[in-house]
Amino acid sequence: MNRAKRTRTTTPTAYFCRPQSPAGLPSAFAPVRRSADYSVHRREDGLLVLTLRKPYANGTTDFIFSEVELAQRLAALVPPKGKNGISYHGVFGSRHRHRNEVIPC
């Protein structure tokens, strides 16, 4: 398989098999935020400033947090113990009446 064809066929697979976004973005199809998309530094008054590489559509370029606020936001992203990271809907859902026809048991 040539390189161009291999890239085209593996890209959708890599896209759908990637882990959930560490930033807790609401949509499963939203882009994953990489560390290069933002930077964090401390102001002189001790607050943490998260600066975005590109501004949001509403013009937001910075987020300002105290250490406690940042810890609370990060802790909210950790799923509860025993909760699955992936939930299925439609015929792949656990209680759908046609699930046995789609998924071999």
Side-chain angles (χ1 to χ4, degrees):
M1 187 182 279
N2 66 18
R3 185 180 194 110
K5 189 176 242 182
R6 184 170 15 122
T7 303
R8 267 187 279 135
T9 57
T10 57
T11 301
T13 305
Y15 179 77
F16 288 113
C17 295
R18 71 179 186 212
Q20 287 186 347
S21 160
L25 297 175
S27 172
F29 299 105
V32 175
R33 293 256 178 230
R34 298 176 307 276
S35 61
D37 288 344
Y38 55 86
S39 65
V40 179
H41 65 277
R42 186 179 299 271
R43 290 192 330 189
E44 291 178 8
D45 59 357
L47 295 176
L48 299 171
V49 179
L50 185 137
T51 305
L52 302 172
R53 185 172 54 94
K54 292 181 182 178
Y56 284 168
N58 65 1
T60 303
T61 58
D62 297 320
F63 292 102
I64 300 173
F65 300 107
S66 69
E67 290 179 0
V68 174
E69 287 175 329
L70 184 60
Q72 287 174 342
R73 297 235 178 183
L74 292 175
L77 297 177
V78 178
K81 183 178 179 182
K83 173 118 169 90
N84 290 331
I86 301 173
S87 60
Y88 296 98
H89 303 279
V91 292
F92 295 111
S94 61
R95 294 181 47 86
H96 197 278
R97 64 178 175 255
H98 298 298
R99 183 170 195 253
N100 292 335
E101 298 171 19
V102 178
I103 298 175
C105 295

